[in-house]
Amino acid sequence: MTQAYDVLLQVHGLRCPMPLLKTKQALSSMDSGQVLRVEATDAGSWRDIPAFVDLTDHQLLKHEQDGDQFIFYILKRD
């Protein structure tokens, strides 16, 4: 089943720490309750983005790897 989302952030080709910084920026401009889908190609994102979410009130709904792409679904909470 496909996870629904409100905002798509594509950070293909960006290297650490840019995917994480762009994720933080996107979440800050979203409303509480919205879901952000992040698509990254930097392998460090697989570790960095869940670690960041763990330090916040946001919730990582799902994360998966599709070939060389890492996909995250993050629920924005305030």
Side-chain angles (χ1 to χ4, degrees):
M1 183 174 178
T2 302
Q3 172 71 46
Y5 59 92
D6 301 292
V7 177
L8 173 62
L9 175 65
Q10 294 179 317
V11 288
H12 303 130
L14 295 182
R15 310 245 352 186
C16 185
M18 290 309 295
L20 180 58
L21 293 175
K22 296 282 188 185
T23 298
K24 288 179 182 181
Q25 287 177 335
L27 285 167
S28 71
S29 68
M30 293 170 57
D31 293 328
S32 184
Q34 287 188 308
V35 175
L36 173 65
R37 175 183 164 122
V38 181
E39 298 177 355
T41 52
D42 180 48
S45 299
W46 189 251
R47 175 193 65 249
D48 295 344
I49 290 177
F52 158 71
V53 173
D54 283 346
L55 297 173
T56 69
D57 290 332
H58 309 310
Q59 180 182 353
L60 183 62
L61 300 175
K62 180 179 177 182
H63 62 291
E64 60 193 12
Q65 183 174 355
D66 182 11
D68 66 346
Q69 182 170 255
F70 304 94
I71 303 168
F72 307 88
Y73 295 90
I74 305 168
L75 175 63
K76 162 76 183 250
R77 290 195 175 152
D78 285 331

